[in-house]
Amino acid sequence: MTDSVTTGTLRLPPRVHAGFGARAQLLHTLPDGTQRVLAVIDPFLTSSPLWIELQTSLEAHGVRVHVYSDIRPELPVDSLTAAADTAAALGVQAIIAAGGGSALDAAKLVALLVTHGGPLSRFYGENLVPGPVLPVIALPTTAGTGSEVTPVAVVSDPRRHMKVGISSPHLIPAAALVDPELTLAAPASVTAFAGVDALVHAVESFTAADLRSPWNDELPVFTGRNTLTSALALEAAARIHAWLPIAVREPANRRAREEMAIGSLQAGIAFGPTGTHLSHALQYPIGAATGTPHGLGTGLLLPYIVDALRRDPATAERIGVLGDAMGVGADPDAVITALSGLNDAIGVPSSLRALGIEREHLPQIAELALESRRLVGIAPVPAGEELLREILDSAFAGTLALRRTA
Ligand SMILES: NC(=O)c1ccc[n+]([C@@H]2O[C@H](COP(=O)([O-])OP(=O)(O)OC[C@H]3O[C@@H](n4cnc5c(N)ncnc54)[C@H](O)[C@@H]3O)[C@@H](O)[C@H]2O)c1
Ligand SMILES: [Fe+2]
């Protein structure tokens, strides 16, 4: 594919290893001379033979491992302070992050707190982390958020309406070990919601606005569409579209787990520099109002967003390229049908009502989404209240324009 944009930015961990068995690189990815680490691990891993084996192997090589696994849903900001205090008191030289996106984000934030001190609210937003943080070695157990390669960590702060992001190139882990073996135990709903979020990352990265920041300024964390990530986003979308329903239906299918691990990693590499847009802007207030998982919301919204964006001819063309990559053809209607069909196949509901949203919530959701100016600004068309209300109205009614006209 020839891209209309011919500039690009890549920001990545210096080391990325992916495939069955990649976790065995853990010892070799720690900084030279590491003697003490904090392992921020997902609660489900604490008694898993996979983790115990890794910890035993590190200790056999003289690395002392202190485990922290109090990863609370939604990652309340105050819960991270204790972990950071422990890490600082122990003088750890690196942080191992193993788990779903919540555990990986927790580890990134602990690394930030240990290095630069709190409160975390000092860093809410973009490019506010003043320098490098303690190295984080990330092992995702979902496929997935892509957090193992991205510059973002998301946290909930009781003083705010919604989850807040800290975005900085300094939060990109020092190494990512993407081993599908770690995802085999993920239950169907976790596989479905994390997997569809990865598809949203790929689609939103591929359809991101062409922003072209001046090269002589400090670059924004999210630089919009770029030619270096487009091909990865397309490949990620193709893999996830093909393999996510199989991974949900057949959790022990190793090929499906491997394809999903690679697809979500590619999507993370793609959206890390470009950013995501409207599904994410709208999910934050929806997630806050309903307590529903991130991927459930972004996945539900995606067909409605693509449906609204295809009215823009340049974006419709891009959606066609995406459809070709996914093997459903270049007609945007076919792409939207494929995205909503995938949701049906993996148990993502088709209407916001199923998440407990009432019609009278919609204006406030649109208003709060517009506060995420960074995300809204990455949409390929100017997105104001009217467009967001239209998307929300369709997603509430559960009706896509193409179905209305069929
Ligand atoms: N930093 C980023 O770039 C980024 C991107 C997207 C989302 N996020 C954040 O990531 C979070 C969502 O992450 P997630 O979808 O990975 O879910 P999660 O980390 O919240 O985990 C969901 C549940 O699945 C369990 N789990 C995880 N892996 C498992 C496995 N292999 N086997 C059994 N149980 C397992 C966890 O213990 C938890 O109970 C959200 O908080 C979202 O805001 C971050
Ligand atoms: Fe996401």
Side-chain angles (χ1 to χ4, degrees):
M1 181 203 62
T2 311
D3 211 316
S4 57
V5 176
T6 47
T7 58
T9 292
L10 277 180
R11 296 196 193 96
L12 279 175
R15 295 177 65 165
V16 178
H17 301 294
F20 275 103
R23 66 189 185 286
Q25 279 293 306
L26 180 55
L27 179 69
H28 308 293
T29 50
L30 289 173
D32 287 345
T34 300
Q35 291 173 329
R36 265 172 214 270
V37 297
L38 181 75
V40 177
I41 66 170
D42 203 300
F44 94 89
L45 271 179
T46 47
S47 54
S48 153
L50 288 170
W51 168 253
I52 292 166
E53 198 185 300
L54 278 175
Q55 183 173 348
T56 308
S57 148
L58 289 178
E59 285 173 345
H61 287 87
V63 181
R64 289 188 57 186
V65 182
H66 301 267
V67 172
Y68 176 85
S69 63
D70 184 17
I71 312 293
R72 311 218 192 121
E74 299 303 307
L75 231 50
V77 69
D78 295 332
S79 69
L80 301 167
T81 318
D85 290 347
T86 308
L90 292 167
V92 303
Q93 292 132 329
I95 297 199
I96 294 171
S102 302
L104 302 191
D105 282 6
K108 288 158 114 175
L109 296 169
V110 169
L112 170 59
L113 282 170
V114 175
T115 314
H116 298 291
L120 275 181
S121 53
R122 294 200 286 143
F123 310 112
Y124 293 168
E126 274 201 36
N127 269 340
L128 296 173
V129 175
V133 304
L134 214 54
V136 174
I137 318 296
L139 298 97
T141 64
T142 58
T145 65
S147 181
E148 67 276 11
V149 291
T150 70
V152 196
V154 189
V155 72
S156 63
D157 182 333
R159 291 163 284 273
R160 306 274 175 135
H161 284 301
M162 303 186 276
K163 286 173 99 173
V164 274
I166 299 180
S167 307
S168 159
H170 296 303
L171 291 190
I172 295 172
L177 303 178
V178 182
D179 188 335
E181 193 83 41
L182 298 173
T183 68
L184 283 171
S189 64
V190 171
T191 303
F193 302 152
V196 77
D197 189 38
L199 178 61
V200 180
H201 296 159
V203 173
E204 294 201 333
S205 175
F206 188 68
T207 55
D210 178 3
L211 297 177
R212 294 183 200 238
S213 310
W215 289 117
N216 50 352
D217 291 350
E218 180 183 37
L219 286 179
V221 178
F222 301 109
T223 59
R225 178 187 313 169
N226 86 61
T227 195
L228 299 177
T229 57
S230 288
L232 279 174
L234 286 179
E235 206 175 302
R239 282 183 196 282
I240 298 167
H241 172 248
W243 289 96
L244 177 56
I246 302 171
V248 172
R249 223 174 33 238
E250 302 169 26
N253 184 317
R254 293 174 73 82
R255 170 86 194 273
R257 293 295 196 180
E258 187 171 47
E259 296 281 352
M260 284 303 301
I262 300 290
S264 63
L265 170 64
Q266 289 177 316
I269 296 172
F271 95 83
T274 62
T276 56
H277 53 83
L278 297 182
S279 302
H280 282 74
L282 288 166
Q283 190 279 328
Y284 286 124
I286 290 170
T290 60
T292 48
H294 174 75
L296 173 57
T298 57
L300 187 160
L301 288 162
L302 185 65
Y304 298 97
I305 283 158
V306 175
D307 196 18
L309 292 179
R310 73 171 167 161
R311 281 202 305 265
D312 171 54
T315 310
E317 202 176 306
R318 230 160 152 77
I319 293 166
V321 175
L322 181 73
D324 270 337
M326 287 163 52
V328 300
D331 178 355
D333 275 5
V335 179
I336 296 159
T337 305
L339 296 174
S340 61
L342 177 74
N343 280 347
D344 293 344
I346 63 172
V348 170
S350 59
S351 152
L352 288 176
R353 265 182 297 216
L355 272 52
I357 295 282
E358 308 279 352
R359 190 183 286 283
E360 57 266 29
H361 293 150
L362 301 181
Q364 207 204 358
I365 291 170
E367 229 171 83
L368 288 167
L370 286 169
E371 284 180 20
S372 299
R373 279 191 295 277
R374 163 182 78 72
L375 290 168
V376 171
I378 291 169
V381 296
E385 192 173 345
E386 202 180 319
L387 180 66
L388 296 190
R389 281 298 305 275
E390 185 196 317
I391 292 166
L392 286 168
D393 284 341
S394 308
F396 182 78
T399 46
L400 291 156
L402 81 114
R403 286 188 185 156
R404 284 203 294 272
T405 53

